[in-house]
Amino acid sequence: MRKAYIIFMCLYFVLISPSKTFAGFPIGKYRDIVVPTFSYYHQTDRFDNNGKIIKGLPGTGFTSYATNIYIGYGISRRLDFIATIPYLYQQNKLGANNTLINQGVGDLTVGLSYNLVNFNYIRFLSVQVSGIVPLYNNNNGLSALGLGSYGTEVKLMYCGNLPKSLFDKGYFNTEVAYRRYYTSQGPDQVSFTGTIGYPVTRHNQISLDVLLFKSFSSNKAFNNNIYAARNYAFFKPQLNFGHQFSRRFSMFAGGFYVPFGFNTGVGYGGSLLAVIKI
């Protein structure tokens, strides 16, 4: 049983998704993990409130380059400390040679993840509670590094090995999350994430993530800057490939496209990350 637990921990940390570092697999008592990530996001066209694609005007668009550091520490076999710190560089093109550029540290996310139940070290049910702290000042809502307000998030996670009746190996992860920002305009955000990972060779693995995301706010205005938008929704699939160089070092690459959404950009991009076990 313990062997199965270790195998699925390794599978997760190799196939870890850059947009959701946290998941239901416990890190392990007194163990550390560091995950540096570089990601790219771009949008020119957008979805209106009815989901119809609106072509962007010439010379307009939003591009973000982000470096993210995730740190996880196993306080006990069930309780983990997690923290994420992003650094962003953004270009928001408004047309007529008008480009807003902003860069700096974004929102710090820090919290605890607790494994509620493990089912013979094959599947895990966990809950995570996090706080969100802005590490910047919002001077311009069009080029902001975030919403500029404090928030909290509660996440329920269920993960483990795929049923033997369907696959001889592989794993899954599902997450349901609620996030609240404490301003008059919110927003309140809900999301569902599903992941299926499968090893194709001893050291190479592929995974598919799907993300359903909805943000509710009294502020209905469209914003090119996804980090500053408040009322929108989207569906995002992402295909990933991971390679394990050693027991302590792995690398991972992924790409995504947003084929459907409301009041948000038709975004696409990719990411590259390293998983370092200390």
Side-chain angles (χ1 to χ4, degrees), residues 61-84:
F62 176 80
T63 302
S64 173
Y65 304 88
T67 300
N68 187 82
I69 298 294
Y70 162 82
I71 299 172
Y73 174 72
I75 299 173
S76 70
R77 294 182 64 182
R78 290 192 170 190
L79 183 65
D80 299 329
F81 168 82
I82 50 93
T84 305

Side-chain angles (χ1 to χ4, degrees), residues 18-30:
S19 62
K20 55 163 192 57
T21 306
F22 320 128
F25 294 94
I27 295 175
K29 187 175 182 179
Y30 302 146

Side-chain angles (χ1 to χ4, degrees), residues 58 65 92 98 136 181 276:
Y65 304 88
N92 198 347
N98 184 13
Y136 50 88
Y181 288 91
I276 305 167

Side-chain angles (χ1 to χ4, degrees), residues 234-251:
F234 64 85
F235 166 70
K236 184 185 79 172
Q238 177 167 317
L239 184 62
N240 314 298
F241 174 80
H243 179 77
Q244 186 178 23
F245 292 91
S246 69
R247 295 179 60 185
R248 294 184 176 273
F249 180 73
S250 304
M251 291 200 71

Side-chain angles (χ1 to χ4, degrees), residues 22 82 109-112 128-132 151-155 179:
F22 320 128
I82 50 93
T109 302
V110 60
L112 296 171
Q128 178 182 299
V129 179
S130 304
I132 303 163
T152 55
E153 182 181 66
V154 178
K155 184 184 296 185
R179 177 176 289 195

Side-chain angles (χ1 to χ4, degrees), residues 73-138:
Y73 174 72
I75 299 173
S76 70
R77 294 182 64 182
R78 290 192 170 190
L79 183 65
D80 299 329
F81 168 82
I82 50 93
T84 305
I85 304 175
Y87 186 89
L88 307 171
Y89 177 86
Q90 300 174 169
Q91 295 178 327
N92 198 347
K93 296 183 178 180
L94 306 178
N97 297 319
N98 184 13
T99 300
L100 298 177
I101 297 177
N102 199 10
Q103 59 183 320
V105 181
D107 288 324
L108 167 67
T109 302
V110 60
L112 296 171
S113 177
Y114 184 75
N115 177 227
L116 298 171
V117 183
N118 79 76
F119 302 92
N120 296 322
Y121 296 104
I122 294 176
R123 296 185 179 92
F124 304 86
L125 179 66
S126 302
V127 63
Q128 178 182 299
V129 179
S130 304
I132 303 163
V133 181
L135 302 179
Y136 50 88
N137 293 318
N138 266 354

Side-chain angles (χ1 to χ4, degrees), residues 2 4-18 20-37 70-74 76-77 79-82 113 124 126 128 157 159-160 171-173 175 195 197-198 203-207 209 240-253 272-278:
R2 183 65 177 173
Y5 165 71
I6 295 173
I7 288 174
F8 284 108
M9 277 186 60
C10 293
L11 280 173
Y12 167 68
F13 286 132
V14 171
L15 291 173
I16 199 169
S17 170
K20 55 163 192 57
T21 306
F22 320 128
F25 294 94
I27 295 175
K29 187 175 182 179
Y30 302 146
R31 295 180 180 178
D32 301 271
I33 184 169
V34 178
V35 183
T37 306
Y70 162 82
I71 299 172
Y73 174 72
S76 70
R77 294 182 64 182
L79 183 65
D80 299 329
F81 168 82
I82 50 93
S113 177
F124 304 86
S126 302
Q128 178 182 299
M157 303 164 287
C159 62
Y171 81 101
F172 74 94
N173 181 62
E175 303 179 4
T195 299
Y198 193 84
H203 297 292
N204 298 311
Q205 300 158 31
I206 58 174
S207 68
D209 300 326
N240 314 298
F241 174 80
H243 179 77
Q244 186 178 23
F245 292 91
S246 69
R247 295 179 60 185
R248 294 184 176 273
F249 180 73
S250 304
M251 291 200 71
F252 175 87
L272 179 67
L273 65 83
V275 180
I276 305 167
K277 301 176 186 179
I278 302 174

